[in-house]
Amino acid sequence: MVKRAKGILALCLLAIVAAASLGKVSLRAQDAEIAGSKRRVKSLGKPQYPDLARKLNLAGVVKIEVTIGTDGKVKRTHIVGGHPVLAPEAERAAMQSEFEPGPKETTEVIEFKFGPQ
């Protein structure tokens, strides 16, 4: 019973990866957007499209939750969702982002869109 469940899970994961790789491919290496932002963005970091992602023809969105200090600098990041190959580069770019100063520490979610160039 456990072997069958593991087999079904593996098949589902394989189907998801295959569907994602066959989906619409973005012509841009990366884009970033902040939906419903409370803090104004001064600058967003630019993620690089990883070599492994290029070899695998990966595309997708990575969501990074950032904690922004009162000075507008990103203090912490947390990967909310996205492909594990793309996530580290999105997290690096999120750390390089800067927001307008504010009266208190806040959190935002940044979405980085990756696709082959």
Side-chain angles (χ1 to χ4, degrees):
M1 183 89 149
V2 173
K3 283 185 180 181
R4 183 179 171 110
K6 285 183 180 179
I8 290 171
L9 179 60
L11 185 60
C12 289
L13 289 173
L14 183 59
I16 290 169
V17 170
S21 66
L22 293 174
K24 183 179 176 185
V25 176
S26 172
L27 296 177
R28 298 185 62 142
Q30 68 276 332
D31 285 327
E33 64 181 54
I34 302 174
S37 177
K38 299 175 206 112
R39 300 275 289 267
R40 291 182 55 109
V41 178
K42 286 176 87 175
S43 66
L44 282 176
K46 300 289 183 196
Q48 297 295 314
Y49 188 60
D51 288 335
L52 180 58
R54 184 173 286 109
K55 290 176 186 175
L56 297 173
N57 199 29
L58 288 178
V61 175
V62 177
K63 293 183 180 183
I64 305 289
E65 181 181 73
V66 295
T67 301
I68 307 159
T70 56
D71 60 356
K73 296 192 186 304
V74 175
K75 295 173 75 175
R76 289 181 297 281
T77 62
H78 175 70
I79 300 168
V80 178
H83 197 285
V85 172
L86 303 172
E89 187 59 32
E91 192 170 33
R92 185 196 60 75
M95 281 300 296
Q96 294 176 344
S97 299
E98 191 172 345
F99 296 79
E100 291 291 330
K104 63 180 182 173
E105 192 173 277
T106 59
T107 59
E108 303 282 347
V109 175
I110 305 173
E111 293 184 0
F112 292 97
K113 297 176 185 175
F114 290 86
Q117 293 181 351

